[in-house]
Amino acid sequence: MIVTVRTTTDARAKADALARGAVEARLVACAQIAGPVTSVYHWRGAIETTEEWEVVFKTTEARYPALEAHLLAAHDYETPEILATRVTRVSEGYARWVERETDAARTEESAATDELPFFVYGTLRPGAYNHDRFLAGRIGTEADAVLHGAVLHDGPGYPYVVPAEGGRVVGTLLTPSPGDYGDLFGLLDRLELPVGYERVAKDVVRVRDGARVSAWVFLAAPDAPLGPVIESGDWFERSPAADASNLRSGG
């Protein structure tokens, strides 16, 4: 079943990033951007009027859950508009094209043969909001760990790790439950790669026994929007002022 999925954002550059990220991750076959449009809506007891850009994605019903997870992670609105509509009539050739372009992602995900654990240090750590949204119930083991030779930067709602001599970053080693590795490998790539990360295998130190463990770590890509350094190396110990962000609802 082909579906169209619609979202809005408050800047053309953000719309471009949402569209390109979803297409590059093969969550959708294509995305179209229109605007600006004027949105009028209730938000926190007031009626707001905002100029927005609309992004419409073409995908399959099977890929919708992964697309929704990607948009929730990549969007900077607190309550983004994500609306999916089943397409009741579509040309056979177009439907096959959408299915072929989005199915290719599953082939790429199945090629992930190095089942390393994941070292997470921000919103995916146990107790943080993206862990509860995306990973709860799908992790077999968790262990405190430290990445040496790196520093932690704050970012637009989530942190970034940058290699640096003498630094250390506190985080958690996550090993997916049996049978969940392939799905989580693809999910984490779709969440992280479009918003300024690159996945690299690094050695981290497991706290409980001092063992060195090779793990996947999402480091800052060259164009990542780096904020100030978090001196403690622990995102949970950052300044409360860093939590203030431009969170809002989509119209």
Side-chain angles (χ1 to χ4, degrees):
M1 171 72 72
I2 305 301
V3 298
T4 61
V5 180
R6 177 180 182 273
T7 193
T8 55
T9 188
D10 59 2
R12 174 61 194 247
K14 295 179 183 178
D16 289 343
L18 290 172
R20 179 168 291 278
V23 171
E24 288 179 346
R26 291 193 178 272
L27 297 171
V28 305
C30 74
Q32 296 168 319
I33 300 168
V37 299
T38 300
S39 297
V40 182
Y41 54 95
H42 286 281
W43 182 241
R44 293 180 176 171
I47 296 178
E48 302 284 348
T49 300
T50 304
E51 185 176 84
E52 295 186 297
W53 275 255
E54 179 184 60
V55 188
V56 178
F57 305 94
K58 313 297 176 58
T59 188
T60 63
E61 192 159 15
R63 295 298 277 164
Y64 172 78
L67 174 61
E68 179 184 298
H70 169 81
L71 292 176
L72 287 171
H75 215 298
D76 65 346
Y77 284 10
E78 181 178 347
T79 310
E81 172 187 334
I82 304 175
L83 301 176
T85 304
R86 291 188 177 96
V87 177
T88 57
R89 300 290 295 272
V90 60
S91 67
E92 182 178 351
Y94 188 84
R96 287 180 177 175
W97 173 73
V98 172
E99 291 167 354
R100 182 173 65 250
E101 293 304 315
T102 54
D103 279 348
R106 299 186 180 185
T107 301
E108 293 170 4
E109 288 164 15
S110 67
T113 55
D114 293 332
E115 295 195 359
L116 304 178
F118 295 90
F119 175 78
V120 298
Y121 50 84
T123 66
L124 291 169
R125 286 174 69 181
Y129 58 89
N130 275 341
H131 184 280
D132 295 340
R133 290 163 71 189
F134 301 120
L135 304 182
R138 307 171 76 179
I139 300 301
T141 62
E142 301 172 353
D144 294 338
V146 175
L147 171 65
H148 292 279
V151 294
L152 188 65
H153 286 258
D154 207 354
Y158 35 83
Y160 291 96
V161 162
V162 177
E165 289 291 332
R168 66 190 292 274
V169 175
V170 175
T172 307
L173 270 175
L174 302 179
T175 301
S177 300
D180 282 329
Y181 192 91
D183 287 343
L184 286 183
F185 186 95
L187 171 63
L188 293 176
D189 271 5
R190 292 191 295 271
L191 290 177
E192 305 286 59
L193 299 184
V195 291
Y197 296 94
E198 53 188 21
R199 177 171 41 78
V200 179
K202 304 283 284 185
D203 284 347
V204 302
V205 177
R206 192 166 54 208
V207 171
R208 70 169 183 262
D209 57 6
R212 297 183 68 85
V213 179
S214 185
W216 292 120
V217 182
F218 287 93
L219 302 180
D223 59 348
L226 299 180
V229 172
I230 299 172
E231 297 294 343
S232 68
D234 188 337
W235 196 62
F236 286 174
E237 296 181 3
R238 69 199 185 284
S239 167
D243 289 331
S245 58
N246 182 28
L247 300 178
R248 44 167 297 199
S249 173

